[in-house]
């Protein structure tokens, strides 16, 4: 999977200062888990408690927010985020403006999700 490059789109939306948001080309390629417990790698979550029970709605949101904000790798998106779940929870996610703009710019359906 390749992410949409800020250079290819002509617009760089920051996930945070100095880091462009990484966006999947399609939501269908996001094949992450929909249940169970997920442990994020340290590069995405620096605190000791990095496990998330996807059955808990708050934990699922917290995990998605961290992955979408912190990733520099398209592969993280593919293995950790589920496209259908992302669409379902999109409006509930607390994301930096740049991350939200990057994803909604590429996936216009998220604007109305």
């Amino acid at each position: 999977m390749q992410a949409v490059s800020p250079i290819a789109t002509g617009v760089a939306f920051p996930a945070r200062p100095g880091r462009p948001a990484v966006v999947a080309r399609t939501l269908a390629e996001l094949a992450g888990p929909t249940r169970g417990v997920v442990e994020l790698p340290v590069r995405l979550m620096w605190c000791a408690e990095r496990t998330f029970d996807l059955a808990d709605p708050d934990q699922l949101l917290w995990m998605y927010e961290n992955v979408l904000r912190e990733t520099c790798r398209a592969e993280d998106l593919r293995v950790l985020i589920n496209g259908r779940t992302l669409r379902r929870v999109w409006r509930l996610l607390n994301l930096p403006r740049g991350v939200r703009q990057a994803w909604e710019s590429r996936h216009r359906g998220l604007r109305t999700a």
Side-chain angles (χ1 to χ4, degrees):
M1 172 179 99
Q2 291 183 334
V4 173
S5 162
I7 295 167
T9 62
V11 179
F13 296 102
R16 55 189 172 108
R19 179 180 290 180
V22 178
V23 179
R25 290 197 180 273
T26 69
L27 296 180
E29 66 190 293
L30 301 177
T34 57
R35 59 182 175 231
V37 175
V38 175
E39 182 174 355
L40 294 183
V42 173
R43 71 177 177 278
L44 296 178
M45 186 87 176
W46 306 298
C47 66
E49 187 54 45
R50 298 185 322 270
T51 59
F52 300 86
D53 182 351
L54 299 182
D56 181 324
D58 291 332
Q59 287 188 31
L60 179 129
L61 293 175
W62 182 231
M63 185 192 94
Y64 273 44
E65 290 164 357
N66 278 281
V67 172
L68 294 171
R69 182 181 62 245
E70 298 299 332
T71 193
C72 293
R73 301 172 169 187
E75 182 66 11
D76 288 337
L77 298 173
R78 191 182 72 71
V79 301
L80 295 169
I81 302 293
N82 179 276
R84 287 184 183 180
T85 302
L86 179 63
R87 184 169 172 76
R88 180 175 52 82
V89 302
W90 182 252
R91 286 286 154 219
L92 302 173
L93 294 171
N94 183 14
L95 296 169
R97 179 177 292 146
V99 172
R100 189 168 296 281
Q101 288 174 328
W103 279 84
E104 289 180 355
S105 174
R106 177 68 184 171
H107 305 288
R108 296 182 189 268
L110 291 176
R111 293 180 189 172
T112 58

